[in-house]
Amino acid sequence: MDDIQAIFFEECAEGLAIAEQGLSAMQDGDVSAETIAGVFRAVHSIKGGAGAFGHAELTKFAHYFENVLDEVRAGRIAPTAGVTRVMLSAFDVLTDHVAFARGIAPAPADAAAIAALEAVLRDRGAESEDSPATVAIEEPAAAPVDDDPFGFEPVGVVLDDLDAPAIEEAPAAWTIVFAPSRGAMANGAEPMLVVREVEMMGGRIESVDISSLPSLRDMDPEQGYFSWTLSLPGTVTEESITECFDFVAPDSKVEISRAASVEQRPEVAPVSTEALPSAPRLSLVETPPEDVAVKAVERAPEPAAQNIRVDLVKLDLLLNLVGELVIRNSILADRLSPADQQRVELPELARLTRQIQDNVMSLRAQPIRQAFSRVPRMLRDLASETGKQVTLETIGETTEVDKGVIEKIGDPLTHLIRNAVDHGIETPEQRIAAGKPPQGTIRLSAEQKGARIFVRVSDDGKGIDRARVRAKAVERGIIAADVQMTDEEIDQLICAPGFSTAESISNISGRGVGMDVVRSNVEALGGRVEIASTPGEGTSFTMVLPLTLAILDGMIVRLAGQRFVLPLANVTETVQPAPGQVKRTSPTTEVIDMRGQYFPVKRATDIFELHGAERPIEDSLVVIVESESAGHVGLVVDTIDDRREVVIKSLDQNLYPIRGLGGATILGDGSIALILDIEALVASPGSTSRFALKGMAA
């Protein structure tokens, strides 16, 4: 049961994500039937699963929530901004209930949320001109003696003003006859759960047929003998009723009927559709009051889900095996002559291996939209709390990221958004005074470049006040008062533990833990945080995250006798410098003349402090690489050995983070080569000990 319940909680997480996305869309004005139905189905599924596992409090609250959603879906409650806010608050409580059921959070206080949901239902009855009576929802109470797994009585519907003429227009009540399969309980089913589900929708047990009950001597405790006749208010939709019987055995008896109003008296016409062979037979007919015959019809077929759940550990093992296959392919390429490679169809094997790797990677990769989905609502709450006007722009929501990365960037993303609203975006008055529109903009983007994922949060606010940041760092003892620092180093101070420029502690900031959490969490993933800020124009925070495993097209280069892999995605051209083509403009900087354009030149051996025999620049090669941060840069290498597909292996578990390296790979001869991180290399000001590879041999 623990394994099955773990699947239920995974489905809860998926349902909560769908519900939050739908509620956020409703808050933005999308009140289409499809959006509302999606939220309803998510909450309904959570309630049904919670009931099956005996999570009474979760079931109880989800039932209240579902009542309101059902009325909104049926059009009896308008999805106004106030109603949507109540449902968003209810969603937060539902999330807390799920966490409590999982045992990872205390029991939530839900009385206020329940009262708000009940108020929405009461207001519906009082304000609707078409409603013939007031609908009151009774408080669920604990069942006194029976074995009700949910612990509360059915919800009753009380109709006032029964003598009012309008009551004749109310929908007629439903009648349900339910006889579970004789062997239902032997197969693990519990018919009473279905009965209770109907009761929670406002149903009543009218009678129980026990005529098929045998003598005690002949009774089988795993067989079903009872048949129930239940009634439901006419306001309940057919879809809600049929959903209660979705998972009953195919040979169960399920007959649903209701009488039409006196004015309509339609002809008896069954709603017939074609059923799946495994679906129970349902009766969905309307009959006049004097005609009590129930006609069975079949349900329309629904395509069966073709999904399975796979343990991530198994996927990781499969990914590693694919990587080993690529390495073996590389070994064969080294040992076989070109003619032999064609004879054994090695290029075809490499192509198939790459396709397998791409497909296996897609099993674990998920769109980063899941991490982005919570930002719009959080941004609205922050804007309301701070009194600022903020809009959100998202780019690259379909960028696929490893599932483990998505789960771990939630907290950093939250802190970056809160920081942008609280410290970056100005108040409307300040923005107007600065010549800006009163509404600020936060841009959230994601993209993949080579073996890295770039997740960026940028704003058009006031930028980082570096003088204030430096003063606060000195005040808190983070740096000495006389230390000389570049703008980039001052910007990085905001990630220091305990650092904050907030004047007072609030719900948003002031405790000095936000940006520290961002940097520590990102570095724990093997990534880095880059900060770029222009005073008066805005600030950009970029989380550069690695892929867990990927096949990379790389160029094998040598630096001081050691082999490295240069990602081909960054390379634009390779140049053998002519005498005088590379010129020194200062003691520490060089440029290369490329057809009248001058690009900065960096010597990789100096950056990594790899000391070997000095080579004249004319005997070396300059690889022109393109980076996002620095544009075109010439990277000086000794030689180029080959071009290969290589498997990226993470260094996080075996080596401390070294800026400028994106991982490692195993070459065809079994040796290890380090993979260069172009963005980090070209962004470096020059030789620095942070890039040192002392004591390492490739």
Side-chain angles (χ1 to χ4, degrees):
M1 288 300 293
D2 288 343
D3 293 339
I4 298 174
Q5 188 164 221
I7 294 175
F8 161 67
F9 285 128
E10 289 181 12
E11 292 175 345
C12 279
E14 295 170 1
L16 290 172
I18 293 171
E20 184 176 32
Q21 184 176 0
L23 289 170
S24 295
M26 291 175 64
Q27 193 175 34
D28 287 338
D30 179 7
V31 292
S32 63
E34 182 180 357
T35 299
I36 297 171
V39 179
F40 175 84
R41 286 192 296 268
V43 175
H44 177 75
S45 298
I46 292 173
K47 185 191 78 170
F53 287 101
H55 298 298
E57 293 302 317
L58 173 56
T59 307
K60 171 184 170 183
F61 184 80
H63 174 62
Y64 278 114
F65 196 177
E66 185 187 41
N67 281 342
V68 174
L69 284 167
D70 193 31
E71 295 297 295
V72 174
R73 185 180 61 158
R76 290 184 287 270
I77 294 179
T80 62
V83 170
T84 304
R85 281 195 297 270
V86 170
M87 291 194 292
L88 280 167
S89 298
F91 170 81
D92 291 336
V93 178
L94 182 66
T95 303
D96 293 340
H97 268 296
V98 172
F100 172 63
R102 295 183 62 182
I104 60 176
D110 58 7
I114 291 175
L117 292 170
E118 288 182 320
V120 170
L121 290 170
R122 286 195 301 270
D123 292 344
R124 179 282 313 266
E127 295 174 2
S128 175
E129 296 179 358
D130 298 328
S131 176
T134 301
V135 177
I137 304 298
E138 298 176 354
E139 174 90 20
V145 292
D146 66 6
D147 59 348
D148 181 2
F150 304 131
F152 52 91
E153 292 290 345
V155 174
V157 178
V158 180
L159 297 178
D160 299 331
D161 302 329
L162 295 180
D163 296 328
I167 196 66
E168 295 181 358
E169 300 178 4
W174 293 98
T175 298
I176 303 171
V177 178
F178 171 46
S181 168
R182 183 59 64 91
M185 289 178 288
N187 295 322
E190 175 50 72
M192 282 306 298
L193 290 177
V194 180
V195 175
R196 294 300 186 190
E197 182 83 3
V198 175
E199 287 185 321
M200 286 189 293
M201 296 169 62
R204 292 177 53 186
I205 299 176
E206 300 295 343
S207 63
V208 181
D209 183 359
I210 60 173
S211 59
S212 61
L213 187 67
S215 64
L216 186 60
R217 181 188 301 274
D218 300 326
M219 187 180 297
D220 184 349
E222 291 190 345
Q223 296 293 309
Y225 303 101
F226 292 1
S227 174
W228 287 268
T229 300
L230 306 101
S231 63
L232 264 172
T235 55
V236 180
T237 63
E238 288 181 4
E239 183 181 0
S240 300
I241 300 173
T242 57
E243 282 181 352
C244 295
F245 300 95
D246 277 346
F247 301 106
V248 301
D251 55 342
S252 300
K253 177 184 178 183
V254 181
E255 296 177 343
I256 305 171
S257 65
R258 74 174 177 184
S261 63
V262 177
E263 286 78 3
Q264 294 175 346
R265 291 185 177 274
E267 296 181 1
V268 179
V271 181
S272 66
T273 55
E274 187 176 353
L276 283 172
S278 60
R281 296 177 65 83
L282 304 181
S283 295
L284 300 174
V285 299
E286 282 193 340
T287 59
E290 62 272 14
D291 184 357
V292 294
V294 177
K295 299 187 177 182
V297 297
E298 295 182 341
R299 236 179 354 177
E302 296 179 359
Q306 298 294 321
N307 297 323
I308 61 172
R309 295 184 181 275
V310 180
D311 192 332
L312 288 178
V313 175
K314 295 180 180 179
L315 281 182
D316 286 341
L317 178 60
L318 183 57
L319 286 171
N320 287 331
L321 291 175
V322 172
E324 292 300 321
L325 183 60
V326 174
I327 293 172
R328 294 299 177 269
N329 191 80
S330 179
I331 291 174
L332 288 176
D334 275 351
R335 295 180 179 179
L336 296 177
S337 66
D340 289 337
Q341 291 180 25
Q342 293 295 331
R343 188 161 41 251
V344 299
E345 297 185 351
L346 191 61
E348 179 68 12
L349 177 61
R351 185 185 65 81
L352 292 174
T353 302
R354 184 62 176 263
Q355 290 181 348
I356 293 173
Q357 189 268 344
D358 290 341
N359 281 277
V360 172
M361 278 292 294
S362 69
L363 298 178
R364 200 183 154 98
Q366 295 183 347
I368 202 170
R369 181 187 300 109
Q370 297 183 25
F372 286 5
S373 62
R374 296 185 179 182
V375 174
R377 183 186 168 197
M378 177 175 60
L379 197 59
R380 282 190 290 268
D381 293 342
L382 290 170
S384 175
E385 188 172 347
T386 59
K388 298 177 180 179
Q389 300 177 15
V390 187
T391 59
L392 176 67
E393 295 180 3
T394 56
I395 302 171
E397 290 180 289
T398 59
T399 302
E400 291 193 338
V401 184
D402 185 85
K403 178 177 173 62
V405 173
I406 290 179
E407 293 173 348
K408 293 178 181 178
I409 66 171
D411 284 345
L413 202 58
T414 297
H415 287 299
L416 288 176
I417 294 294
R418 294 167 71 90
N419 186 76
V421 175
D422 194 38
H423 297 290
I425 300 296
E426 309 96 329
T427 63
E429 296 77 16
Q430 291 172 333
R431 293 183 62 85
I432 292 173
K436 299 180 180 180
Q439 196 169 50
T441 300
I442 290 180
R443 183 174 291 105
L444 185 58
S445 65
E447 61 179 329
Q448 177 181 345
K449 290 187 175 182
R452 296 278 172 171
I453 298 293
F454 291 75
V455 180
R456 183 172 293 105
V457 178
S458 57
D459 63 72
D460 63 348
K462 57 188 175 183
I464 295 177
D465 186 345
R466 296 189 174 98
R468 186 180 179 195
V469 168
R470 179 184 174 88
K472 281 287 185 180
V474 172
E475 177 185 328
R476 295 176 180 267
I478 297 174
I479 60 172
D482 57 349
V483 67
Q484 298 295 319
M485 303 183 72
T486 64
D487 288 347
E488 179 186 8
E489 292 170 334
I490 293 175
D491 293 343
Q492 289 291 334
L493 287 175
I494 65 177
C495 295
F499 182 86
S500 175
T501 59
E503 298 297 339
S504 60
I505 295 176
S506 67
N507 292 332
I508 302 177
S509 63
R511 300 186 183 275
V513 296
M515 293 305 300
D516 180 32
V517 169
V518 172
R519 185 170 66 177
S520 60
N521 286 13
V522 172
E523 289 182 350
L525 290 170
R528 66 180 187 274
V529 178
E530 296 179 350
I531 305 173
S533 181
T534 302
E537 296 183 9
T539 304
S540 175
F541 295 90
T542 304
M543 294 183 287
V544 184
L545 305 166
L547 293 175
T548 53
L549 175 79
I551 295 178
L552 178 74
D553 289 320
M555 178 185 291
I556 311 299
V557 301
R558 287 189 181 269
L559 302 175
Q562 299 185 25
R563 286 188 292 182
F564 293 80
V565 177
L566 191 63
L568 271 177
N570 296 94
V571 177
T572 59
E573 61 180 307
T574 303
V575 180
Q576 175 76 56
Q581 188 175 1
V582 175
K583 303 175 182 179
R584 186 170 296 277
T585 57
S586 75
T588 58
T589 58
E590 294 176 291
V591 296
I592 184 171
D593 182 358
M594 296 293 295
R595 297 176 291 277
Q597 289 185 304
Y598 290 90
F599 299 145
V601 171
K602 292 182 179 293
R603 296 178 182 259
T605 51
D606 292 342
I607 293 175
F608 286 119
E609 296 185 8
L610 295 173
H611 303 296
E614 294 293 333
R615 296 171 63 95
I617 191 68
E618 291 79 9
D619 294 338
S620 302
L621 295 174
V622 177
V623 180
I624 306 299
V625 296
E626 185 177 14
S627 69
E628 182 181 11
S629 58
H632 288 83
V633 177
L635 196 64
V636 180
V637 301
D638 296 345
T639 59
I640 298 175
D641 286 1
D642 198 1
R643 172 192 170 183
R644 283 290 167 84
E645 288 184 345
V646 298
V647 178
I648 302 172
K649 297 288 188 179
S650 174
L651 296 173
D652 303 340
Q653 298 179 354
N654 305 304
L655 187 68
Y656 61 88
I658 297 180
R659 188 178 180 187
L661 296 182
T665 190
I666 301 174
L667 299 177
D669 60 359
S671 62
I672 296 174
L674 299 174
I675 301 172
L676 300 177
D677 183 348
I678 299 299
E679 292 291 337
L681 285 178
V682 301
S684 67
S687 177
T688 168
S689 60
R690 287 181 297 172
F691 292 80
L693 299 177
K694 297 176 181 177
M696 293 185 58

